[in-house]
Amino acid sequence: MPKHTIREITPTDYPKLDDFLYHAIFIPDGEAYPDYEIIYQPEIYVYVKDFGGKGDCGVVAEIDDQLVGAAWARMIPAYGNIDEKTPELAISMLPEYRGQGIGSDLMNSLFALLQKRGYARTSLSVQQNNPAVRFYKRLGYVVTDEKKDHAGHDDFIMVKHL
């Protein structure tokens, strides 16, 4: 496996967040991938729209100068929002780079960045049947609520104290 590096996101990376948002969509086994345009639904696009504003932060993973993953957090009124002091986190890996430890490195780097910026915790929303639930629990997230998303899926709201 080629060596990856983690660095803070820069404005030149922001346009690539659209692609990472698409790859963040959980597709259960046997279901077809949705059209790319699904990310432009307002309740989904809020995760990346106008990224780079006050409070937005993130990290990216690179291998040989190619972005292979991103983790970012923002104060947005989205699925995993719990209050005005807790940024909601999103993470995405290109499919061929999943399961190699890069996601854990991304998350831990983002946690450190959030702590440095004075945040006490972060939240996220994840479909209950998404295998990533185990990943988030390993990283210290706990389920604090359950609700339906815009498509009627059962989601967990998870929080991690930093």
Side-chain angles (χ1 to χ4, degrees):
M1 173 176 84
K3 177 86 176 102
H4 65 274
T5 58
I6 307 289
R7 63 170 174 78
E8 196 166 340
I9 197 167
T10 64
T12 58
D13 302 319
Y14 299 167
K16 298 175 184 105
L17 285 177
D18 284 13
D19 290 337
F20 283 108
L21 181 62
Y22 180 76
H23 288 292
I25 297 170
F26 171 61
I27 310 299
D29 288 340
E31 286 191 25
Y33 273 82
D35 289 334
Y36 187 86
E37 287 71 32
I38 194 171
I39 69 165
Y40 299 113
Q41 293 178 4
E43 60 274 6
I44 296 173
Y45 203 59
V46 68
Y47 286 92
V48 297
K49 183 179 180 188
D50 300 324
F51 186 87
K54 184 179 184 297
D56 292 347
C57 64
V59 292
V60 294
E62 287 182 315
I63 296 177
D64 298 329
D65 296 322
Q66 177 194 353
L67 292 188
V68 299
W72 64 98
R74 1 183 31 191
M75 304 297 285
I76 51 174
Y79 298 117
N81 178 271
I82 58 170
D83 62 37
E84 68 283 343
K85 293 186 238 169
T86 307
E88 184 172 351
L89 187 141
I91 182 171
S92 176
M93 296 292 305
L94 295 180
E96 61 269 30
Y97 294 97
R98 294 177 183 161
Q100 300 176 27
I102 302 169
S104 294
D105 290 348
L106 275 171
M107 294 289 273
N108 288 318
S109 295
L110 185 54
F111 296 153
L113 183 58
L114 289 167
Q115 280 182 300
K116 187 172 140 186
R117 292 190 177 195
Y119 292 107
R121 62 187 181 169
T122 180
S123 65
L124 58 81
S125 175
V126 60
Q127 285 182 31
Q128 292 180 15
N129 62 335
N130 187 332
V133 170
R134 290 187 305 279
F135 170 69
Y136 297 133
K137 285 181 176 180
R138 279 196 314 271
L139 291 168
Y141 278 89
V142 295
V143 174
T144 60
D145 199 4
E146 298 180 26
K147 64 182 186 182
K148 301 259 186 213
D149 68 13
H150 76 286
H153 299 115
D154 294 317
D155 284 7
F156 286 134
I157 305 304
M158 301 182 81
V159 173
K160 176 184 173 59
H161 291 273
L162 301 170

